[in-house]
Amino acid sequence: IGGAFGSDKKALVIGFEFITDYEPDAASIKLVGELLYLDDDMKKSLNEWKKNKALPEPVMIEVLNVLFRKCLSKVLLLAEDLQLPLPLPVPTVQPKGEESSGGSYIR
């Protein structure tokens, strides 16, 4: 925990690695960074981390959702620039009444 944004507020600094592997040993995209998390109850989150090496569930859900949203958008851009397949299926438009043969996860 440290001072954040030049104020007396404290923030959790959460390190992360987001890795997308292309198998077999074709390529890998790895994003590494730190996320600053501000909360009204920092002590609870910090105590939970010290005790169990885990954040409280509501905090963890919020952190993971932010990381997935931010990192996936960056990985999509990098994969396109590097001419790699996108790591997520892209929805496709089908004529009405036709089933997709690609097994799309969006209907």
Side-chain angles (χ1 to χ4, degrees), residues 12-56:
L12 292 176
V13 179
I14 302 169
F16 69 88
E17 288 186 358
F18 191 91
I19 302 169
T20 303
D21 286 324
Y22 292 87
E23 298 292 338
D25 295 327
S28 181
I29 298 174
K30 181 177 180 180
L31 303 177
V32 179
E34 292 179 337
L35 178 132
L36 297 179
Y37 184 82
L38 298 171
D39 190 8
D40 293 334
D41 199 357
M42 286 296 161
K43 286 186 181 184
K44 179 181 176 187
S45 296
L46 185 58
N47 288 338
E48 181 75 19
W49 179 260
K50 286 179 180 179
K51 181 179 175 185
N52 300 318
K53 293 294 183 214
L55 293 171

